[in-house]
């Protein structure tokens, strides 16, 4: 699936919820299902610090594609992280760099991304793109 | 007895709905809402006497000046300061503390001197002192906090030395709600010949403050936390210190004679009010203080005690909920942790139920860390909150727990 | 062409009567009035999203934060700053200058260094520099003013030395109305490798300001002089300097990690915004800037030129009236003296006719003294003033002269 | 005449004016009629500095009574000064100390006395009373 297709899929999944609680329950379930990072990987190198919840993001380049694993100490954040990983993981650096993550808006998570909510989510998207840029120049270099 | 329904009708924002649910605002420690009398006063000011104070010979300026100086009188009476010239308007509590840290520091603090603060302070009463200590080569000494969230008075007594220059302690903890024994704390400082600053940012809105009774040398608070506008605050200081201290900011109105070589400064309080002050903010804050007086400070205190007791009982009944801060004397602030639920998750879900609490370090990282955590969930109430809102909070927390399990 | 009647109807206070006469407000240099959009925005803020910014996870706080950061965007666009993180909200122009004088001073100014200001500065751009020079043992150098009220650019060029650390000059003189050639002044500073601060307190409300075009390193102004609320101001600074400078005030929100031993600071712009900022003031000011944009900065400039030309002709025609400040480029400010009439008498009598002017040193004592007097009468106009009001002023002055003879 | 009687007289004189311009014209005339102080007496010792107009006040004790002479560089201030001198000059220190200057209010000059109007008028009344106190303690001493 392309990044676009994955986003469409997520939007579709969320469209059945007309209530915030259901959406959160879904995010919580996603969070629970996300593979945890090993304690060893939850280190400063992989930490993206928001003010209130911690996010660890670990990238891996295999055969020209980036695979992310991630974790958070807050479960809703884990859920959101899970969505981002699902959308971006397994794509090429170029695809990730160019990705327009419209699903965030469309499932109503935009406010969770606003720079004024100190949950590090914006920082996370930024970090994923930065890794992609780094890999991309490495591959060229 | 207060008529809470009538009171709530005075605060338009309390009728707000968030996500289609009635707002349950339990973040009063961060900022309080404004009653109509304050909003109306601001409107009146902007439409009938907006004009620069102290500056013009004309009628509008005179009206603005009279209103502004009247606000100063109101503040003086509200905290029972001895002299109106000892009331300085600042842009907020943070600015008030920075003013003292800088100007007192310039005059009285040298290398090797000591400043005492407590482990319980808001960042606003930590960082300015760290900054002045760093600049001057002075040393910060810390009064520890006990497990119930009160100050360790024994250690406090032992912290003094011949090099202690000032003590800076909060009246009420914004993170735990603890009301400190400021009279005793002040007496001990004075017994050691040391002046004291009391941070009243969380105290002024909840009860009687009498600076002569406390006998503190500096006292300060913010307008926005006492039902007044943003961008205005107060510093009270004894003139024996204020007169000795150099100005903090330079600008218009704080000067006497200016030449390019030398400037002499105006008398108190103007020496510390550089530039165009927030005179409309001051007038709005005075309206808020008048509102509190007429509502009844005693009644407000009683009401808030009821709210605190009720909320404490309710929350204590929730399994896995641990209250941080159990001092015998508290304002209606309850900080807590939930076993197995991250504070941030709790805050996010409560928000979606319309319940506004604050999560995190509460701008008091050292204190929060002392309790072995990164952050807490804080419900901070005030007299316009209701028992039903506390019920909603308790129900919300139970729901959060269910969702997480 | 502006529809002045329509514009005046947007400013409720202009309908005021003083002593039974219509108010003729010619003290806009001291503070400007507020259009309805600003008053409505303040009301909306207090009744629909008042809540502490950056602090809470809850909806109200998020709304307030979005509005506050939106205001920062608006300011950035209004002055064409490169980065939104280079826009710092302060409590006013005076605070902005004090921030730079302190923080830049701590980082870059040492004993024997030099600071250049001009003889034309408002006290707000004199005293903070005197204070930092005194603290650091640095020297203040002065650009003289010529007889027409312009800067002596030749002397300016000669003032630089290898010890010059910063230049601080006003964009527009509050006392004379002179518009300084800030691009050229900046270029000369930069040719000497020296950064420059431009005081825009009297410029922002009268025309286009483009900080990238000027290329200044710091620019600042007050909300209340640009049709916005009191208690709010702006500092723009290039991040290459702001990043290097230590914070000015300590408190909440400007920190990253706080321990009792050490504190690390937040990134720009928050490093310089300690404590609860006047976020409602910021939002109100942004509404004022939007109002100016939609009214048309160009049209406002043309209108004000007309007012200035008309008023200059009118007043020049009065015998014994001497205008101080005759620079070719001026905003609509006219300062003058009357032969044989004390400025204070003139001000008092004009006031009783409903005409608000300012008398005295205009917070620019060195400049006023340079013109051989203790004070002047200043009529400061803005686009909502009318030709009829200028006629009233002229007639009033004639009447004053008659009474005095 | 007692201080009280003089005040009544002034209030009566002002009562004929129903317009500010007339009142100011009257004050201006009073100002013009006030004896000027010699340049020698306009020195720092006698100066009471307001922000905008200067006032010089010179006291003189003769036979247990205080005589004031005064001047100002602004004519309206001179007029107000003239009224104050008229009311208080020639009285004993005790009478001056006790004087309740109600006429200021009653002729509508209160606002000119407000501490926020920087014309030094409040400072002037204060200074007159201070001189009275000084003489009074000297006479006792
Ligand atoms: C040129 C200039 N600079 C600075 C200031 C200070 O502004 P504020 O008093 O709003 O801080 C003023 C206004 O009085 C001014 O005219
Ligand atoms: C105890 C205490 N001190 C100081 C402050 C700082 O107040 P402000 O942010 O209004 O300057 C606060 C509020 O956050 C506080 O709770």
């Amino acid at each position: 699936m392309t990044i676009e297709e994955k986003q469409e899929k997520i939007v579709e999944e969320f469209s059945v919820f007309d209530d915030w609680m259901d959406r959160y329950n879904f995010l919580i379930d996603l969070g629970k299902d996300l593979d945890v990072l090993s304690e060893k990987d939850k280190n400063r190198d992989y930490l993206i610090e928001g003010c209130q919840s911690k996010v660890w993001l670990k990238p891996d380049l295999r055969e020209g594609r980036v695979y992310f694993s991630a974790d958070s100490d807050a479960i809703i954040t884990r859920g959101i992280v899970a969505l981002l990983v699902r959308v971006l993981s397994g794509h090429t650096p170029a695809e990730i760099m160019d990705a327009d993550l419209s699903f965030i808006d469309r499932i109503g998570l935009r406010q969770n991304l606003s720079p004024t909510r100190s949950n590090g989510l914006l920082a996370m998207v930024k970090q994923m793109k930065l890794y992609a840029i780094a890999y991309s120049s490495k591959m060229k270099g | 007895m207060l008529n809470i329904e009538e009171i709530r009708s005075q605060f338009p924002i309390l009728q707000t709905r968030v996500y289609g649910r009635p707002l349950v605002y339990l973040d009063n420690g961060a900022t309080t809402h404004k009653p109509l009398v304050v909003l109306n006063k601001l409107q009146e000011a902007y439409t009938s006497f907006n004009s620069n104070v102290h500056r013009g010979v004309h009628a509008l300026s005179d009206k603005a000046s009279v209103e502004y100086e009247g606000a100063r009188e109101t503040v003086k009476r509200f905290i029972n300061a001895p002299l109106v010239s000892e009331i300085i308007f600042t842009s907020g509590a943070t600015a008030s503390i920075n003013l003292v840290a800088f100007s007192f520091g310039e005059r009285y603090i040298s290398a090797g001197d000591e400043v005492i603060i407590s482990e319980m302070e808001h960042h606003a009463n930590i960082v300015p002192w760290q900054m002045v200590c760093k600049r001057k080569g002075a040393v910060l000494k810390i009064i520890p906090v006990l497990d119930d969230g009160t100050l360790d008075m024994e250690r406090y007594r032992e912290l003094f030395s011949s090099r202690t220059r000032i003590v800076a302690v909060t009246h009420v903890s914004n993170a735990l709600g603890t009301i400190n024994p400021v009279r005793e704390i002040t007496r001990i400082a004075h017994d050691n010949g040391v002046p004291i600053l009391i941070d009243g940012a969380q105290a002024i809105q909840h009860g009687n403050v009498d600076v002569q009774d406390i006998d503190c040398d500096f006292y300060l608070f913010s307008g926005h936390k006492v039902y007044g506008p943003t961008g205005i605050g107060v510093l009270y200081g004894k003139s024996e210190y204020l007169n000795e201290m150099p100005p903090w900011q330079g600008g218009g109105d704080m000067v006497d004679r200016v030449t390019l070589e030398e400037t002499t400064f105006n008398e108190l309080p103007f020496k510390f009010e550089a530039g165009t002050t927030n005179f409309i903010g001051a007038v709005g804050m005075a309206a808020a203080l008048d509102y509190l007086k007429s509502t009844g400070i005693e009644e407000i205190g009683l009401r808030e005690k009821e709210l605190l007791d009720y909320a404490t009982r309710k929350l204590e009944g929730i399994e896995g909920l641990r209250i941080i801060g159990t001092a015998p004397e508290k304002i209606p602030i309850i900080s807590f942790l939930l076993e197995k639920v991250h504070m941030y998750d709790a805050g996010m879900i409560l928000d979606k139920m319309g319940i506004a609490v604050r999560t995190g370090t509460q701008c008091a990282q050292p204190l929060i860390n002392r309790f072995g955590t990164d952050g807490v969930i804080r419900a901070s109430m005030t007299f316009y909150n209701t028992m039903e809102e506390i019920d909603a909070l308790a129900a919300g927390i139970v729901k959060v727990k269910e969702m997480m399990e």
Side-chain angles (χ1 to χ4, degrees), chain A, chain B:
Chain A
M1 266 198 283
T2 66
I3 289 180
E4 254 327 300
E5 285 162 356
K6 290 187 195 165
Q7 294 196 67
E8 288 308 322
K9 187 94 202 317
I10 290 173
V11 171
E12 203 185 302
E13 284 166 18
F14 269 81
S15 68
V16 303
F17 308 123
D18 44 27
D19 166 286
W20 263 108
M21 287 307 143
D22 294 339
R23 246 173 274 177
Y24 271 23
N25 271 322
F26 188 64
L27 279 175
I28 290 167
D29 289 342
L30 288 175
K32 284 181 182 156
D33 291 345
L34 181 70
D35 288 336
V36 297
L37 273 187
S38 68
E39 283 308 312
K40 190 176 106 290
D41 284 339
K42 288 193 193 170
N43 62 33
R44 279 218 148 246
D45 287 351
Y46 295 137
L47 183 64
I48 303 169
E49 211 164 344
C51 215
Q52 306 220 340
S53 62
K54 291 182 186 141
V55 174
W56 295 267
L57 179 73
K58 188 184 167 198
D60 206 3
L61 185 71
R62 291 197 304 270
E63 298 170 8
R65 289 170 187 273
V66 189
Y67 295 86
F68 292 107
S69 32
D71 207 339
S72 170
D73 56 350
I75 189 92
I76 294 176
T77 311
R78 269 176 67 90
I80 298 172
V81 166
L83 288 174
L84 284 173
V85 168
R86 177 170 152 200
V87 169
L88 294 179
S89 210
H91 289 277
T92 65
E95 285 166 353
I96 295 171
M97 278 158 61
D98 290 347
D100 172 15
L101 300 177
S102 68
F103 82 100
I104 294 169
D105 254 347
R106 287 154 75 203
I107 64 175
L109 284 181
R110 164 60 58 198
Q111 57 170 296
N112 292 306
L113 265 174
S114 94
T116 55
R117 289 254 174 161
S118 32
N119 65 358
L121 198 51
L122 190 68
M124 194 165 55
V125 173
K126 212 162 145 191
Q127 191 60 45
M128 290 173 123
K129 296 218 167 198
L130 280 177
Y131 279 129
I133 292 169
Y135 284 134
S136 153
S137 58
K138 203 162 101 187
M139 283 159 63
K140 280 190 202 123
Chain B
M1 272 261 304
L2 302 179
N3 178 342
I4 301 302
E5 221 170 297
E6 154 65 18
I7 283 173
R8 288 178 69 86
S9 74
Q10 296 298 308
F11 292 81
I13 203 171
L14 296 179
Q15 272 77 65
T16 306
R17 296 181 80 83
V18 288
Y19 312 108
R21 293 161 189 252
L23 169 68
V24 176
Y25 186 77
L26 301 175
D27 194 17
N28 294 286
T31 201
T32 53
H33 294 310
K34 326 303 172 196
L36 281 173
V37 283
V38 170
L39 302 181
N40 294 344
K41 188 72 200 185
L42 294 177
Q43 196 77 7
E44 180 201 335
Y46 280 121
T47 57
S48 83
F49 62 82
N50 173 60
S51 188
N52 218 321
V53 298
H54 299 305
R55 300 274 167 82
V57 281
H58 57 81
L60 234 53
S61 170
D62 194 47
K63 177 96 194 293
S65 303
V66 167
E67 291 269 352
Y68 182 56
E69 294 306 322
R72 204 188 299 278
E73 261 298 337
T74 301
V75 171
K76 170 194 175 287
R77 271 181 277 114
F78 196 84
I79 62 172
N80 191 31
L83 299 173
V84 73
S85 61
E86 294 178 324
I87 304 297
I88 295 160
F89 286 119
T90 68
S91 60
T94 299
S96 298
I97 298 173
N98 278 277
L99 188 166
V100 177
F102 178 85
S103 297
F104 184 94
E106 282 295 295
R107 174 68 181 79
Y108 295 104
I109 301 179
S110 316
D113 285 345
E114 294 166 7
V115 171
I116 297 177
I117 65 170
S118 90
E119 198 177 9
M120 189 192 286
E121 302 309 311
H122 186 278
H123 294 163
N125 205 24
I126 300 175
V127 186
W129 300 110
Q130 288 180 329
M131 285 164 59
V132 69
C133 283
K134 193 162 169 198
R135 224 171 53 246
K136 296 288 178 181
V139 182
L140 210 55
K141 299 272 178 158
I142 312 295
I143 313 168
V145 166
L146 302 175
D147 286 342
D148 65 350
T150 59
L151 291 176
D152 184 339
M153 294 297 286
E154 218 161 304
R155 284 286 296 128
Y156 170 51
R157 282 192 179 78
E158 298 163 4
L159 284 180
F160 288 90
S161 84
S162 63
R163 302 303 301 265
T164 311
R165 291 292 166 262
I166 190 167
V167 176
V169 168
T170 197
H171 193 159
V172 167
S173 160
N174 67 301
L176 306 183
T178 313
I179 302 174
N180 286 319
V182 286
R183 279 183 64 182
E184 191 189 345
I185 294 172
T186 300
R187 200 178 37 70
I188 294 168
H190 288 176
D191 285 349
N192 286 278
V194 174
I196 184 166
L197 170 144
I198 306 282
D199 172 359
Q202 292 290 343
I204 192 84
Q205 63 277 49
H206 295 291
N208 274 317
V209 169
D210 181 329
V211 294
Q212 294 194 63
D213 182 56
I214 300 171
D215 197 27
C216 55
D217 305 279
F218 300 98
Y219 196 92
L220 58 103
F221 58 90
S222 275
H224 73 97
K225 288 194 205 273
V226 59
Y227 316 103
T230 55
I232 184 75
V234 167
L235 171 66
Y236 155 76
K238 287 187 182 164
S239 23
E240 57 184 286
Y241 290 106
L242 292 179
N243 275 324
E244 286 292 311
M245 287 156 52
W248 179 43
Q249 296 192 46
D253 248 28
M254 56 73 76
V255 295
D256 175 19
R257 231 179 267 274
V258 178
T259 68
L260 293 167
E261 292 73 39
E262 178 137 39
T263 290
T264 58
F265 300 115
N266 203 336
E267 56 192 16
L268 292 178
F270 309 112
K271 180 170 99 177
F272 289 106
E273 294 183 357
T276 304
T277 56
N278 189 354
F279 60 96
I280 292 189
V283 164
M285 176 172 59
L289 297 179
D290 284 340
Y291 172 81
L292 281 189
K293 270 253 166 95
S294 70
T295 304
I297 307 272
E298 300 294 331
E299 281 79 2
I300 288 174
L302 291 175
R303 165 77 184 171
E304 293 186 345
K305 182 105 191 50
E306 266 174 40
L307 286 168
L308 176 65
D309 291 345
Y310 184 74
T312 306
R313 272 203 315 279
K314 267 272 173 179
L315 296 197
E316 275 175 349
I318 297 173
E319 214 194 290
L321 186 150
R322 175 181 149 220
I323 293 178
I324 312 277
T326 51
E329 298 287 327
K330 283 180 63 173
I331 59 158
I333 277 182
I334 301 186
S335 282
F336 58 95
L337 290 172
L338 294 171
E339 225 176 22
K340 290 186 253 162
V341 180
H342 193 279
M343 55 164 182
Y344 184 69
D345 289 323
M348 292 285 281
I349 295 172
L350 288 172
D351 172 47
K352 288 296 189 288
M353 303 177 189
I355 301 168
V357 294
R358 183 163 169 196
T359 58
T361 63
Q362 318 298 329
C363 282
Q365 281 183 39
L367 178 64
I368 294 301
N369 295 344
R370 181 237 174 270
F371 284 95
T373 171
D374 285 351
V376 294
I377 306 164
R378 181 185 75 177
S380 52
M381 295 159 277
T382 192
F383 66 102
Y384 51 58
N385 287 118
T386 65
M387 304 300 165
E388 291 72 31
E389 289 180 316
I390 292 168
D391 292 342
L393 171 66
I397 295 169
V398 170
K399 172 93 190 173
V400 166
K401 285 177 22 124
E402 283 168 17
M403 284 173 74
M404 292 297 157
E405 268 144 29

